[in-house]
Amino acid sequence: MHPPVLNAVLDAASELAATGKPIPGRKRVRIVVAGAPPPTTTIERTEVELGWEFVQIYGLTETAPADHDQPQSHRVRQALVV
């Protein structure tokens, strides 16, 4: 996910929370960000406010199985991050 898109999602989630509505995907969504990492506050807000898992990948991302549909095991996640 591109960091500006993630910021837009965070802003929309803040509006939902202000009206007492639940955040869609809480504890069920994992996002993958490649390239330069977003600010630490964005990562923290993603995990705390949205309840989404944040995965940062880098290096040869064009060869990584990041487009695979099935949930990743801990072993695969470590391989992506290393």
Side-chain angles (χ1 to χ4, degrees):
M1 181 176 287
H2 193 53
V5 174
L6 181 55
N7 286 332
V9 170
L10 286 165
D11 291 342
S14 292
E15 292 176 18
L16 282 175
T19 61
K21 295 180 182 173
I23 305 298
R26 190 164 200 61
K27 302 296 181 194
R28 295 178 296 154
V29 173
R30 174 184 299 128
I31 63 165
V32 178
V33 176
T40 305
T41 54
T42 302
I43 297 169
E44 188 174 325
R45 286 185 65 202
T46 300
E47 294 180 336
V48 172
E49 293 177 26
L50 298 178
W52 294 1
E53 181 181 0
F54 184 94
V55 179
Q56 171 72 33
I57 60 175
Y58 59 92
L60 294 173
T61 55
E62 64 276 7
T63 65
D67 63 343
H68 201 278
D69 239 358
Q70 297 178 3
Q72 299 174 5
S73 69
H74 179 69
R75 182 178 32 176
V76 172
R77 188 174 316 127
Q78 281 183 333
L80 287 174
V81 175
V82 173

